[in-house]
Amino acid sequence: MASSFSSSSSSSTTMLIVSILASSLMAAVFGGNFNQDFDVTWGDGRAKILNNGELLTLSLDKTSGSGFQSKNEYLFGKFDIQLKLVSGNSAGTVTAYYLSSQGSNHDEIDFEFLGNLSGDPYIVHTNVYSQGKGSREQQFYLWFDPTKDFHTYSFLWNPSHIVFYVDNIPIREFKNTESIGVPFPNKQPMRIYSSLWNADDWATRGGLIKTNWTQAPFVTSFRNFKDDACIWSSSSSSGSSSCTSSNSSSSSSSFSTNNTWFNQEFDSTSQRRLRWVQKNYMIYNYCADLKRFSEGLPPECTMKNSTKT
């Protein structure tokens, strides 16, 4: 796990931390209305949209968890939402926030927040599925307590890469490596989903720590959803996107001028922040698991500049 901010001795590291903290403080506070953007899909009343659509809460008790999904489907986009995770003894619980298509060959981009005993850090579990294949996990601790306040968790999904952000700080990049035969999520539209559920058979210390139901109901809160994205329409036989891209059949004059995320690559600052997070807070990387992949690492892991922390 990472050393604390105060333990940093080099001036370059100190400057980077100051820059990261400034970025965190500048994390966007934006609108969005859960009544307009999402449907509650399960939970028998455990999911609640409050404050005229400004707040959504999911709850979990021994009988059931709860969940919601976006009204829209998307093919590429930048998605932000603010979460305050289950506080106290959250062992056994998982809050999932992800994009997914349907079917056995589905694509999926995951944030999963694995609860833990009081005082122990949450684990942020990330994964990317393409054409039904996952097993691309990276896990992180956070540099703050995610139960004390809302923090922004984001996906950037464009034709060249997928980036996971926490408070505008990149923690993971999954590049498009179709050139070496690795499928990339770029053909199947996906919805946004979120759920709070019991996974005490694996979530906390491999299932050793079980959910303490005397702490129920467990609650995760959401606010300030923002999508700057290509909305998918299935009104035609083949479907179409609101954006101009190689995978869409319709165009939007505003897209080419306003949606800079579509061609966004990493600049030097983003690369530096990514390296800082992965050096200090990454606790598992499938690209470094030689025991698991004893017959050879997945091909995307062997590309130049792939992370092997």
Side-chain angles (χ1 to χ4, degrees), residues 247-285:
N247 297 297
S248 64
S249 59
S250 65
S251 64
S252 168
S253 58
S254 64
F255 171 74
S256 60
T257 57
N258 297 330
N259 293 276
T260 56
W261 57 263
F262 191 81
N263 297 305
Q264 182 178 324
E265 298 283 356
F266 271 173
D267 58 18
S268 58
T269 300
S270 296
Q271 290 281 9
R272 190 166 67 251
R273 289 175 174 175
L274 179 69
R275 288 194 298 269
W276 178 83
V277 171
Q278 296 197 338
K279 177 182 178 181
N280 290 282
Y281 291 98
M282 178 183 281
I283 58 173
Y284 178 79
N285 182 7

Short mmCIF file of all heavy atoms in Angstrom, two decimals, residues 247-285:
data_model
loop_
_atom_site.label_atom_id
_atom_site.label_comp_id
_atom_site.label_asym_id
_atom_site.label_seq_id
_atom_site.Cartn_x
_atom_site.Cartn_y
_atom_site.Cartn_z
N ASN A 247 -18.00 3.88 -36.29
CA ASN A 247 -18.99 2.88 -35.92
C ASN A 247 -20.39 3.45 -35.87
O ASN A 247 -21.30 2.83 -35.32
CB ASN A 247 -18.63 2.29 -34.55
CG ASN A 247 -17.32 1.58 -34.56
OD1 ASN A 247 -17.15 0.60 -35.26
ND2 ASN A 247 -16.35 2.09 -33.83
N SER A 248 -20.60 4.65 -36.39
CA SER A 248 -21.92 5.24 -36.33
C SER A 248 -22.40 5.61 -37.71
O SER A 248 -21.63 5.84 -38.62
CB SER A 248 -21.92 6.47 -35.43
OG SER A 248 -21.09 7.47 -35.97
N SER A 249 -23.72 5.68 -37.85
CA SER A 249 -24.29 5.95 -39.15
C SER A 249 -24.97 7.31 -39.22
O SER A 249 -25.57 7.64 -40.21
CB SER A 249 -25.30 4.85 -39.51
OG SER A 249 -26.32 4.79 -38.53
N SER A 250 -24.91 8.08 -38.15
CA SER A 250 -25.47 9.42 -38.17
C SER A 250 -24.47 10.40 -37.63
O SER A 250 -23.45 10.02 -37.08
CB SER A 250 -26.76 9.48 -37.35
OG SER A 250 -26.47 9.25 -35.99
N SER A 251 -24.71 11.68 -37.83
CA SER A 251 -23.75 12.68 -37.40
C SER A 251 -24.43 13.75 -36.59
O SER A 251 -25.63 13.94 -36.64
CB SER A 251 -23.06 13.30 -38.63
OG SER A 251 -24.03 14.00 -39.41
N SER A 252 -23.61 14.46 -35.80
CA SER A 252 -24.09 15.58 -35.01
C SER A 252 -23.12 16.72 -35.19
O SER A 252 -21.93 16.56 -34.98
CB SER A 252 -24.19 15.18 -33.54
OG SER A 252 -24.39 16.32 -32.74
N SER A 253 -23.62 17.87 -35.61
CA SER A 253 -22.73 18.99 -35.84
C SER A 253 -22.02 19.43 -34.56
O SER A 253 -20.89 19.89 -34.58
CB SER A 253 -23.51 20.17 -36.42
OG SER A 253 -24.55 20.56 -35.54
N SER A 254 -22.69 19.26 -33.41
CA SER A 254 -22.07 19.66 -32.14
C SER A 254 -21.00 18.69 -31.70
O SER A 254 -20.08 19.05 -30.98
CB SER A 254 -23.13 19.77 -31.05
OG SER A 254 -23.72 18.51 -30.80
N PHE A 255 -21.08 17.45 -32.16
CA PHE A 255 -20.13 16.44 -31.71
C PHE A 255 -18.71 16.78 -32.12
O PHE A 255 -17.80 16.75 -31.32
CB PHE A 255 -20.52 15.08 -32.28
CG PHE A 255 -19.49 14.02 -32.04
CD1 PHE A 255 -19.33 13.49 -30.77
CD2 PHE A 255 -18.64 13.61 -33.04
CE1 PHE A 255 -18.36 12.54 -30.53
CE2 PHE A 255 -17.67 12.66 -32.80
CZ PHE A 255 -17.54 12.13 -31.54
N SER A 256 -18.51 17.13 -33.37
CA SER A 256 -17.16 17.34 -33.86
C SER A 256 -16.50 18.57 -33.23
O SER A 256 -15.28 18.66 -33.19
CB SER A 256 -17.19 17.51 -35.39
OG SER A 256 -17.99 18.63 -35.73
N THR A 257 -17.28 19.50 -32.72
CA THR A 257 -16.70 20.72 -32.16
C THR A 257 -16.60 20.69 -30.65
O THR A 257 -15.74 21.35 -30.08
CB THR A 257 -17.55 21.94 -32.57
OG1 THR A 257 -18.90 21.74 -32.14
CG2 THR A 257 -17.52 22.12 -34.07
N ASN A 258 -17.45 19.94 -29.98
CA ASN A 258 -17.52 20.03 -28.52
C ASN A 258 -17.00 18.80 -27.80
O ASN A 258 -16.60 18.89 -26.65
CB ASN A 258 -18.97 20.29 -28.08
CG ASN A 258 -19.49 21.62 -28.59
OD1 ASN A 258 -18.73 22.56 -28.77
ND2 ASN A 258 -20.79 21.70 -28.83
N ASN A 259 -17.03 17.64 -28.40
CA ASN A 259 -16.72 16.40 -27.69
C ASN A 259 -15.24 16.05 -27.83
O ASN A 259 -14.86 15.13 -28.54
CB ASN A 259 -17.61 15.26 -28.19
CG ASN A 259 -19.06 15.50 -27.82
OD1 ASN A 259 -19.51 15.19 -26.73
ND2 ASN A 259 -19.80 16.10 -28.75
N THR A 260 -14.41 16.80 -27.11
CA THR A 260 -12.97 16.59 -27.21
C THR A 260 -12.53 15.26 -26.64
O THR A 260 -11.46 14.76 -26.97
CB THR A 260 -12.23 17.73 -26.47
OG1 THR A 260 -12.69 17.78 -25.11
CG2 THR A 260 -12.50 19.07 -27.14
N TRP A 261 -13.36 14.67 -25.78
CA TRP A 261 -13.01 13.38 -25.18
C TRP A 261 -12.89 12.28 -26.23
O TRP A 261 -12.20 11.27 -26.01
CB TRP A 261 -14.05 12.98 -24.13
CG TRP A 261 -15.44 12.90 -24.68
CD1 TRP A 261 -16.41 13.87 -24.61
CD2 TRP A 261 -16.03 11.82 -25.42
NE1 TRP A 261 -17.56 13.46 -25.25
CE2 TRP A 261 -17.35 12.19 -25.76
CE3 TRP A 261 -15.58 10.57 -25.82
CZ2 TRP A 261 -18.20 11.37 -26.48
CZ3 TRP A 261 -16.43 9.74 -26.54
CH2 TRP A 261 -17.72 10.15 -26.86
N PHE A 262 -13.54 12.44 -27.38
CA PHE A 262 -13.58 11.35 -28.36
C PHE A 262 -12.19 11.02 -28.90
O PHE A 262 -11.89 9.86 -29.20
CB PHE A 262 -14.51 11.73 -29.52
CG PHE A 262 -14.82 10.59 -30.45
CD1 PHE A 262 -15.79 9.66 -30.13
CD2 PHE A 262 -14.13 10.44 -31.65
CE1 PHE A 262 -16.08 8.60 -30.98
CE2 PHE A 262 -14.42 9.38 -32.51
CZ PHE A 262 -15.40 8.46 -32.18
N ASN A 263 -11.33 12.02 -29.01
CA ASN A 263 -9.97 11.80 -29.49
C ASN A 263 -8.93 12.04 -28.40
O ASN A 263 -7.74 12.15 -28.68
CB ASN A 263 -9.68 12.73 -30.67
CG ASN A 263 -10.57 12.44 -31.86
OD1 ASN A 263 -10.64 11.32 -32.34
ND2 ASN A 263 -11.29 13.46 -32.32
N GLN A 264 -9.37 12.09 -27.15
CA GLN A 264 -8.47 12.44 -26.05
C GLN A 264 -7.44 11.35 -25.80
O GLN A 264 -7.77 10.18 -25.65
CB GLN A 264 -9.27 12.69 -24.78
CG GLN A 264 -8.42 13.11 -23.58
CD GLN A 264 -9.28 13.39 -22.36
OE1 GLN A 264 -10.40 13.91 -22.48
NE2 GLN A 264 -8.79 13.03 -21.19
N GLU A 265 -6.19 11.75 -25.74
CA GLU A 265 -5.09 10.88 -25.35
C GLU A 265 -4.48 11.42 -24.06
O GLU A 265 -4.84 12.51 -23.60
CB GLU A 265 -4.03 10.82 -26.46
CG GLU A 265 -4.53 10.26 -27.78
CD GLU A 265 -4.66 8.74 -27.77
OE1 GLU A 265 -4.29 8.12 -26.75
OE2 GLU A 265 -5.13 8.18 -28.78
N PHE A 266 -3.53 10.69 -23.50
CA PHE A 266 -2.87 11.14 -22.28
C PHE A 266 -1.82 12.20 -22.59
O PHE A 266 -0.99 12.01 -23.48
CB PHE A 266 -2.19 9.97 -21.59
CG PHE A 266 -3.06 9.24 -20.61
CD1 PHE A 266 -2.62 8.07 -20.01
CD2 PHE A 266 -4.30 9.72 -20.26
CE1 PHE A 266 -3.41 7.40 -19.10
CE2 PHE A 266 -5.10 9.06 -19.35
CZ PHE A 266 -4.65 7.90 -18.77
N ASP A 267 -1.84 13.29 -21.84
CA ASP A 267 -0.73 14.22 -21.89
C ASP A 267 0.28 13.84 -20.81
O ASP A 267 0.08 12.87 -20.07
CB ASP A 267 -1.22 15.67 -21.72
CG ASP A 267 -1.98 15.90 -20.41
OD1 ASP A 267 -1.86 15.07 -19.48
OD2 ASP A 267 -2.71 16.91 -20.33
N SER A 268 1.35 14.59 -20.70
CA SER A 268 2.42 14.21 -19.77
C SER A 268 1.96 14.26 -18.31
O SER A 268 2.36 13.43 -17.49
CB SER A 268 3.63 15.13 -19.96
OG SER A 268 3.28 16.49 -19.76
N THR A 269 1.07 15.22 -18.00
CA THR A 269 0.56 15.31 -16.63
C THR A 269 -0.27 14.09 -16.27
O THR A 269 -0.13 13.51 -15.18
CB THR A 269 -0.27 16.59 -16.45
OG1 THR A 269 0.54 17.73 -16.71
CG2 THR A 269 -0.84 16.67 -15.04
N SER A 270 -1.14 13.68 -17.19
CA SER A 270 -1.95 12.49 -16.95
C SER A 270 -1.10 11.25 -16.80
O SER A 270 -1.35 10.40 -15.94
CB SER A 270 -2.96 12.32 -18.08
OG SER A 270 -3.88 13.39 -18.13
N GLN A 271 -0.08 11.12 -17.63
CA GLN A 271 0.82 9.97 -17.53
C GLN A 271 1.52 9.95 -16.17
O GLN A 271 1.66 8.90 -15.55
CB GLN A 271 1.87 10.03 -18.65
CG GLN A 271 1.33 9.78 -20.04
CD GLN A 271 1.11 8.29 -20.33
OE1 GLN A 271 1.21 7.44 -19.43
NE2 GLN A 271 0.80 7.98 -21.57
N ARG A 272 1.93 11.11 -15.70
CA ARG A 272 2.63 11.19 -14.42
C ARG A 272 1.70 10.82 -13.27
O ARG A 272 2.09 10.10 -12.34
CB ARG A 272 3.19 12.61 -14.24
CG ARG A 272 4.14 12.76 -13.07
CD ARG A 272 4.93 14.06 -13.15
NE ARG A 272 4.07 15.23 -12.99
CZ ARG A 272 3.75 16.06 -13.97
NH1 ARG A 272 4.19 15.84 -15.21
NH2 ARG A 272 2.98 17.11 -13.75
N ARG A 273 0.46 11.31 -13.33
CA ARG A 273 -0.50 10.99 -12.27
C ARG A 273 -0.84 9.50 -12.28
O ARG A 273 -0.97 8.87 -11.22
CB ARG A 273 -1.76 11.83 -12.46
CG ARG A 273 -1.55 13.30 -12.15
CD ARG A 273 -2.78 14.12 -12.45
NE ARG A 273 -2.63 15.50 -12.00
CZ ARG A 273 -3.51 16.45 -12.23
NH1 ARG A 273 -4.62 16.19 -12.91
NH2 ARG A 273 -3.30 17.67 -11.78
N LEU A 274 -1.00 8.93 -13.48
CA LEU A 274 -1.27 7.50 -13.58
C LEU A 274 -0.15 6.68 -12.96
O LEU A 274 -0.39 5.74 -12.18
CB LEU A 274 -1.48 7.12 -15.04
CG LEU A 274 -1.75 5.64 -15.31
CD1 LEU A 274 -3.13 5.22 -14.79
CD2 LEU A 274 -1.65 5.34 -16.81
N ARG A 275 1.08 7.03 -13.27
CA ARG A 275 2.22 6.30 -12.71
C ARG A 275 2.26 6.43 -11.19
O ARG A 275 2.58 5.47 -10.48
CB ARG A 275 3.53 6.80 -13.33
CG ARG A 275 3.74 6.39 -14.77
CD ARG A 275 5.17 6.62 -15.21
NE ARG A 275 5.54 8.03 -15.16
CZ ARG A 275 5.41 8.87 -16.19
NH1 ARG A 275 4.91 8.43 -17.34
NH2 ARG A 275 5.78 10.13 -16.07
N TRP A 276 1.93 7.63 -10.68
CA TRP A 276 1.93 7.85 -9.23
C TRP A 276 0.92 6.94 -8.54
O TRP A 276 1.23 6.29 -7.54
CB TRP A 276 1.63 9.32 -8.94
CG TRP A 276 1.57 9.63 -7.47
CD1 TRP A 276 2.61 9.90 -6.64
CD2 TRP A 276 0.38 9.71 -6.67
NE1 TRP A 276 2.15 10.14 -5.37
CE2 TRP A 276 0.79 10.03 -5.35
CE3 TRP A 276 -0.98 9.54 -6.95
CZ2 TRP A 276 -0.13 10.18 -4.31
CZ3 TRP A 276 -1.89 9.69 -5.91
CH2 TRP A 276 -1.46 10.00 -4.60
N VAL A 277 -0.30 6.89 -9.07
CA VAL A 277 -1.34 6.04 -8.47
C VAL A 277 -0.94 4.58 -8.54
O VAL A 277 -1.03 3.85 -7.55
CB VAL A 277 -2.70 6.28 -9.17
CG1 VAL A 277 -3.72 5.24 -8.70
CG2 VAL A 277 -3.22 7.68 -8.91
N GLN A 278 -0.46 4.14 -9.70
CA GLN A 278 -0.15 2.73 -9.85
C GLN A 278 1.07 2.31 -9.03
O GLN A 278 1.14 1.17 -8.56
CB GLN A 278 0.02 2.40 -11.33
CG GLN A 278 -1.28 2.60 -12.10
CD GLN A 278 -1.31 1.93 -13.45
OE1 GLN A 278 -0.28 1.62 -14.04
NE2 GLN A 278 -2.52 1.68 -13.94
N LYS A 279 2.00 3.22 -8.84
CA LYS A 279 3.16 2.90 -8.01
C LYS A 279 2.78 2.81 -6.54
O LYS A 279 3.26 1.93 -5.81
CB LYS A 279 4.25 3.96 -8.20
CG LYS A 279 5.46 3.75 -7.30
CD LYS A 279 6.50 4.85 -7.50
CE LYS A 279 7.68 4.66 -6.57
NZ LYS A 279 8.69 5.75 -6.73
N ASN A 280 1.91 3.69 -6.08
CA ASN A 280 1.63 3.82 -4.66
C ASN A 280 0.38 3.10 -4.17
O ASN A 280 0.30 2.73 -3.00
CB ASN A 280 1.53 5.30 -4.29
CG ASN A 280 2.85 6.01 -4.35
OD1 ASN A 280 3.68 5.90 -3.44
ND2 ASN A 280 3.08 6.75 -5.42
N TYR A 281 -0.60 2.89 -5.05
CA TYR A 281 -1.89 2.42 -4.58
C TYR A 281 -2.40 1.16 -5.29
O TYR A 281 -3.42 0.61 -4.87
CB TYR A 281 -2.93 3.54 -4.71
CG TYR A 281 -2.67 4.65 -3.73
CD1 TYR A 281 -1.99 5.80 -4.11
CD2 TYR A 281 -3.06 4.53 -2.39
CE1 TYR A 281 -1.71 6.80 -3.21
CE2 TYR A 281 -2.79 5.52 -1.48
CZ TYR A 281 -2.12 6.66 -1.89
OH TYR A 281 -1.83 7.65 -0.98
N MET A 282 -1.75 0.73 -6.34
CA MET A 282 -2.17 -0.52 -6.97
C MET A 282 -1.78 -1.70 -6.10
O MET A 282 -0.65 -1.80 -5.63
CB MET A 282 -1.53 -0.67 -8.35
CG MET A 282 -1.91 -1.97 -9.05
SD MET A 282 -1.08 -2.16 -10.65
CE MET A 282 -2.10 -1.10 -11.67
N ILE A 283 -2.73 -2.62 -5.88
CA ILE A 283 -2.45 -3.80 -5.06
C ILE A 283 -2.58 -5.09 -5.85
O ILE A 283 -2.18 -6.15 -5.37
CB ILE A 283 -3.36 -3.85 -3.82
CG1 ILE A 283 -4.84 -3.85 -4.21
CG2 ILE A 283 -3.04 -2.70 -2.88
CD1 ILE A 283 -5.79 -4.06 -3.04
N TYR A 284 -3.14 -5.04 -7.04
CA TYR A 284 -3.17 -6.22 -7.92
C TYR A 284 -3.23 -5.74 -9.37
O TYR A 284 -3.96 -4.81 -9.71
CB TYR A 284 -4.37 -7.13 -7.65
CG TYR A 284 -4.41 -8.30 -8.61
CD1 TYR A 284 -3.57 -9.40 -8.41
CD2 TYR A 284 -5.21 -8.28 -9.74
CE1 TYR A 284 -3.56 -10.46 -9.31
CE2 TYR A 284 -5.20 -9.35 -10.65
CZ TYR A 284 -4.37 -10.42 -10.42
OH TYR A 284 -4.34 -11.47 -11.32
N ASN A 285 -2.43 -6.42 -10.22
CA ASN A 285 -2.42 -6.15 -11.65
C ASN A 285 -2.31 -7.48 -12.39
O ASN A 285 -1.33 -8.20 -12.24
CB ASN A 285 -1.24 -5.25 -12.01
CG ASN A 285 -1.20 -4.90 -13.49
OD1 ASN A 285 -2.12 -5.22 -14.24
ND2 ASN A 285 -0.13 -4.26 -13.91
#
